[in-house]
């Protein structure tokens, strides 16, 4: 692990939209600054993701100063959306969690998103991630919270593990679908220089000066089969993960992290594996 480093950083301001890949990012207790603080909900308050709407892969979101977002998508004019005033919240259901969010106070933002998807959706902001949504208590320590991410503050993936997975895909039923890019897995941080699948054994690590604990491996879903450039779905990587990476009913790729300290991550930062007691 002496040569392991942070290869890339990925922030997704709106859950399920394309994100940005900055050279550095601030780590907050609930994730990277600006990551997944916005989400779309349907008329019943349920979160809308690429699971239901693969077309969301074609929409992009950039962070604006102050926490707002610039939305863009094919066939639509870009739109800037400011952080809404905290005048009231709406219930948001995200994978069984009941969370309060603040809807955009710009009706045009809801109309823009609804027109793009061809479905009635609303754009909602998480105003206070320190209090709104606890991490799954089965894997959390008291007081740990998360944004609108699937369940944990950060997702780590390994470049070597992706290479190994792509080698297996090349030998499988659907070799023409590979090699898959890392964006299929929508990580926050990508580590290079570690052995393939070494992350399965990590419990604590430091990226630069920031320390993280590994909460649990990441079980993968149909989103990974969605081409992030075309929104078309295939069979991989779930077919290959099902053959080689099935553990306890989950198809695993990547590790969910919880920050133990604050700081700033920078591309090129060294990655050190720590003892659980460190």
């Amino acid at each position: 692990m002496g040569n392991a480093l942070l290869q890339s950083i990925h922030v997704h301001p709106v859950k399920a939209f394309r994100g940005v890949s900055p050279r550095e990012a601030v780590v907050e207790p609930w994730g990277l600054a600006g990551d997944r603080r916005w989400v779309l909900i349907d008329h019943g308050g349920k979160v809308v993701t690429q699971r239901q709407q693969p077309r969301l892969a074609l929409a992009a979101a950039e962070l604006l100063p102050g926490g707002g977002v610039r939305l863009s998508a094919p066939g639509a004019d870009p739109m800037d959306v400011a952080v809404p005033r905290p005048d009231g919240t709406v219930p948001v259901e995200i994978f069984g969690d009941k969370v309060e969010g603040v809807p955009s106070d710009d009706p045009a933002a809801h109309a823009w998103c609804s027109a793009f998807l061809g479905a009635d959706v609303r754009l909602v902001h998480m105003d206070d991630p320190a209090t709104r949504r606890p991490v799954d208590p089965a894997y959390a320590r008291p007081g740990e919270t998360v944004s609108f991410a699937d369940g944990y503050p950060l997702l780590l993936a390994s470049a070597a593990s992706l290479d190994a997975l792509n080698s297996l895909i090349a030998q499988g039923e659907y070799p023409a679908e590979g090699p898959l890019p890392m964006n299929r897995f929508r990580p926050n941080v990508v580590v290079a220089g570690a052995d393939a699948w070494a992350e399965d054994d990590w419990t604590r690590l430091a990226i630069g000066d920031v320390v993280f604990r590994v909460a649990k491996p990441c079980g993968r879903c149909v989103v990974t089969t969605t081409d992030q450039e075309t929104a078309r779905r295939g069979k991989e990587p779930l077919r290959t993960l099902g053959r080689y990476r099935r553990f306890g009913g989950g198809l695993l790729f990547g590790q969910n992290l919880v920050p133990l300290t604050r700081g700033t991550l920078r591309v090129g930062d060294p990655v050190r594996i720590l003892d659980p007691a460190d």
Side-chain angles (χ1 to χ4, degrees):
M1 281 296 297
N3 296 320
L5 54 81
L6 179 58
Q7 184 180 71
S8 59
I9 299 169
H10 306 277
V11 178
H12 301 87
V14 180
K15 184 177 180 65
F17 283 44
R18 291 188 190 185
V20 293
S21 299
R23 298 291 298 176
E24 61 181 55
V26 172
V27 179
E28 299 172 330
W30 40 84
L32 298 182
D35 187 62
R36 296 172 170 95
R37 292 284 298 275
W38 296 82
V39 73
L40 297 181
I41 60 172
D42 65 15
H43 59 86
K46 289 187 177 181
V47 164
V48 178
T49 75
Q50 290 186 32
R51 293 166 176 82
Q52 305 85 19
Q53 289 276 7
R55 181 172 165 78
L56 283 172
L58 306 180
E62 301 173 54
L63 283 171
L64 297 175
V69 286
R70 175 167 294 149
L71 309 179
S72 59
D77 292 332
M79 179 171 190
D80 290 358
V81 184
V83 171
R85 296 181 298 274
D87 293 337
T89 63
V90 294
V92 176
E93 182 178 339
I94 176 166
F95 306 125
D97 292 342
K98 301 293 186 178
V99 185
E100 293 297 314
V102 181
S104 172
D105 45 21
D106 183 351
H110 307 302
W112 190 99
C113 296
S114 297
F116 172 69
L117 283 184
D120 183 18
V121 294
R122 300 178 76 190
L123 182 64
V124 176
H125 181 254
M126 183 179 283
D127 58 332
D128 185 8
T131 63
R132 290 294 186 196
R133 185 182 176 211
V135 173
D136 183 345
Y139 300 97
R141 295 176 179 174
E144 291 179 342
T145 61
V146 62
S147 65
F148 286 127
D150 277 6
Y152 300 88
L154 283 89
L155 175 61
L156 175 147
S158 160
S161 297
L162 179 59
D163 289 344
L165 178 61
N166 278 325
S167 293
L168 294 172
I169 290 172
Q171 302 165 35
E173 297 175 77
Y174 302 96
E177 291 192 19
L180 301 182
M182 187 61 85
N183 65 9
R184 290 288 189 97
F185 301 93
R186 299 178 64 80
N188 292 113
V189 290
V190 178
V191 171
D195 293 338
W197 314 121
E199 66 273 19
D200 289 349
D201 299 321
W202 299 348
T203 56
R204 288 165 61 95
L205 68 151
I207 304 177
D209 296 327
V210 186
V211 179
F212 301 88
R213 70 175 184 88
V214 178
K216 67 182 290 290
C218 184
R220 309 314 307 217
C221 71
V222 70
V223 171
T224 61
T225 69
T226 307
D227 187 320
Q228 298 294 297
E229 303 302 319
T230 66
R232 290 193 293 268
R233 285 193 171 144
K235 301 293 185 181
E236 295 290 4
L238 293 186
R239 285 296 180 92
T240 298
L241 289 175
R243 291 185 64 186
Y244 297 99
R245 297 285 298 169
R246 185 184 294 274
F247 299 96
L251 309 184
L252 305 185
F253 186 91
Q255 297 288 334
N256 291 297
L257 306 183
V258 178
L260 297 178
T261 62
R262 294 178 181 242
T264 299
L265 301 183
R266 297 175 177 86
V267 171
D269 276 349
V271 176
R272 297 176 291 121
I273 306 310
L274 305 176
D275 227 22
D278 286 350

